[in-house]
Amino acid sequence: MSTPFTPDVVEAIKRHMNDDHADDALLICRGLGGQPEATGATTTGVDAEAIEFAAVVGGRDVTVRVPWSTTLTERAQVRAEVVRLYRDACAALGVPARGEH
């Protein structure tokens, strides 16, 4: 993974996603990551090109990598891209998206 983000930034993003947005990660894996049967998801990586998850499918971890809409160059772009992925995943799954995160 290429990344413009320092290891500390990646860890902070992963921690925030896993602590506050685990349900969103699961929806992204189900709706956009090709794992509609996933029962859990943990954010495992973030780089300039994508966000990566360990999705639980059939009792085992499966790596799921979901690309951003553009190559990221700044940390602030991650939030907007995750919100977009969440909304796109909700639309793909026919699930109503909640308001702003």
Side-chain angles (χ1 to χ4, degrees), residues 19-83:
D19 290 350
D20 298 337
H21 300 289
D23 292 339
D24 298 351
L26 179 57
L27 286 171
I28 292 167
C29 288
R30 286 180 175 169
L32 303 177
Q35 299 298 331
E37 302 301 318
T39 58
T42 303
T43 303
T44 58
V46 177
D47 62 42
E49 304 300 326
I51 187 166
E52 191 167 285
F53 305 96
V56 179
V57 181
R60 64 184 183 88
D61 283 351
V62 175
T63 299
V64 175
R65 196 165 157 80
V66 181
W68 307 125
S69 65
T70 188
T71 300
L72 304 188
T73 59
E74 299 177 8
R75 180 180 182 169
Q77 294 172 292
V78 174
R79 182 184 185 281
E81 282 296 302
V82 170
V83 170

